[in-house]
Amino acid sequence: MFAADRNLALELVRATEAAAMAAGRWMGRGDKNAVDGAAVNALRYILNTVSMSGVVVIGEGEKDEAPMLYNGEKLGAENAPEVDIAVDPIDGTRLTALGLAGAISVVAVSERGTMFNPKNIYYMNKLVVGPEAADVIDINLTPEENVARVAEAKGKALDDVTVVVLDRPRHEELKTRLRNVGARIKLIPDGDIGGALLTCKDRGGADLLMGIGGSPEAVITACAIKCLGGSMQCKLWPRNDEDIAESRKRGLDLDQVLTINDLVRGDNVFFAATGVTDGDFLKGVRYEGREIHTSSMVMRSRSGTIRFVDSIHMPKKLSELSKVSGIEYSTV
């Protein structure tokens, strides 16, 4: 159990800030592995200092056979509270490596046993909306019907509705159908956690996110959208016969609609994200010689609190941390 007044996300943001600062040094250098390695080291080190007893449910995962932040790894400095942890050290590793916009570092936490674990099913079909349209979506309906429902709920014309879609070949038909109905499309190269957050942005955001993306990212997205009051529906998307057979072996129903409460149960969810490169929600890391500036958002579902945190970090102080954590920070 959590102390009534304890917002764990205010502690988690130290980890996303550290990951963003470490990975941001590699922006535009073309090395995805270096970006990811720097973020993983920093995030893991700080999470191990947080007063919690956590188990990684969504991590670098089985898919990547990660040596750190792997699914099942235990993190934290205390025996309580007992929590599930979902991490994406960099949502947008390729974006960072190429110097493109929209990369963020993300951590989400909920009470132990409340997060869905997709295990071998690495992709889901997703439908995400903000609070105004939370009650009208149905992933079993056509894209056209969902766009029309959201447009009506938000008092918009169809050609004013904006849909976020990952730029992948598998979405060619979806894009054609959305264009035929008159919807606007915001294509994103990577980072559908950040893309989903746009559906909850008051101005300059988007109305829906549609399409197939990563299952681990779906669980993290559910944590964020629950904090923001939006809604989300998903269906597991097996890539091949092997995925289908494994799903049946585990007793998974590939036709089941997974709601936001299936992906993360309960209403005590914490979410922290820090910008790595400039995006629609958060600014990227700024290195200013004697200072490093970060921009973060911190949320808790139970209280409905959403905080935007702009922080100034001292590289000389952080260099002391780098000696024991393996995080590299330049000093002036």
Side-chain angles (χ1 to χ4, degrees):
M1 297 294 293
F2 292 87
D5 60 348
R6 185 183 177 196
N7 189 339
L8 193 59
L10 292 170
E11 300 168 56
L12 300 176
V13 74
R14 296 189 296 111
T16 58
E17 288 174 341
M21 288 187 287
R25 290 289 186 196
W26 294 93
M27 188 183 79
R29 297 185 183 183
D31 190 338
K32 287 175 56 179
N33 290 335
V35 170
D36 189 59
V40 167
N41 285 337
L43 193 71
R44 182 175 182 267
Y45 178 81
I46 299 298
L47 287 178
N48 265 323
T49 71
V50 176
S51 296
M52 64 179 180
S53 174
V55 174
V56 177
V57 175
I58 302 296
E60 292 292 89
E62 298 169 11
K63 179 173 67 172
D64 300 323
E65 297 181 351
M68 292 190 295
L69 295 179
Y70 56 85
N71 295 7
E73 183 175 11
K74 296 180 179 180
L75 298 172
E78 302 291 342
N79 294 323
E82 295 185 345
V83 297
D84 287 346
I85 303 173
V87 300
D88 198 340
I90 302 291
D91 180 40
T93 305
R94 188 172 70 94
L95 300 178
T96 306
L98 296 177
L100 300 176
I104 58 177
S105 177
V106 180
V107 174
V109 161
S110 64
E111 295 180 52
R112 179 70 56 83
T114 57
M115 284 187 189
F116 179 78
N117 186 349
K119 293 188 177 179
N120 67 297
I121 304 299
Y122 303 126
Y123 293 91
M124 289 187 187
N125 189 15
K126 308 175 188 180
L127 179 59
V128 184
V129 293
E132 291 177 275
D135 298 326
V136 303
I137 59 170
D138 184 344
I139 199 169
N140 284 324
L141 298 178
T142 65
E144 294 89 342
E145 289 173 302
N146 276 303
V147 168
R149 285 183 169 210
V150 171
E152 182 178 2
K154 301 185 78 169
K156 289 188 171 188
L158 287 175
D159 55 6
D160 289 334
V161 173
T162 301
V163 185
V164 179
V165 179
L166 270 174
D167 190 7
R168 298 290 187 272
R170 61 178 176 263
H171 290 145
E172 288 305 313
E173 180 184 351
L174 174 61
K175 290 189 292 184
T176 298
R177 296 178 70 166
L178 291 172
R179 287 166 179 156
N180 287 342
V181 80
R184 304 166 70 236
I185 298 174
K186 180 179 178 64
L187 280 179
I188 56 174
D190 288 298
D192 65 350
I193 298 173
L197 289 173
L198 287 177
T199 65
C200 297
K201 187 177 182 183
D202 288 337
R203 297 180 183 276
D207 301 290
L208 304 91
L209 177 139
M210 287 184 175
I212 296 157
S215 294
E217 289 83 356
V219 178
I220 298 173
T221 297
C223 294
I225 298 302
K226 177 165 280 195
C227 292
L228 290 163
S231 184
M232 180 176 183
Q233 295 182 8
C234 297
K235 296 179 80 171
L236 296 171
W237 191 76
R239 299 165 296 173
N240 48 42
D241 291 341
E242 183 180 344
D243 279 0
I244 293 172
E246 180 63 25
S247 299
R248 288 173 177 166
K249 182 179 177 181
R250 291 181 53 208
L252 295 176
D253 182 357
L254 297 178
D255 293 320
Q256 180 186 0
V257 175
L258 297 168
T259 68
I260 196 168
N261 289 318
D262 293 315
L263 296 170
V264 57
R265 301 190 306 277
D267 192 33
N268 203 15
V269 180
F270 304 87
F271 179 90
T274 300
V276 181
T277 60
D278 286 344
D280 293 298
F281 244 96
L282 297 169
K283 293 179 181 179
V285 183
R286 298 288 200 277
Y287 302 93
E288 304 292 350
R290 291 184 173 84
E291 298 176 345
I292 303 174
H293 295 245
T294 58
S295 174
S296 305
M297 66 185 304
V298 176
M299 302 187 289
R300 184 184 187 185
S301 64
R302 177 170 290 177
S303 63
T305 306
I306 303 168
R307 291 181 172 91
F308 287 89
V309 180
D310 291 327
S311 300
I312 300 173
H313 310 266
M314 300 298 151
K316 287 185 178 180
K317 298 286 187 181
L318 292 172
S319 66
E320 299 174 7
L321 174 65
S322 70
K323 294 175 184 177
V324 292
S325 68
I327 308 167
E328 293 185 3
Y329 300 107
S330 298
T331 59
V332 176

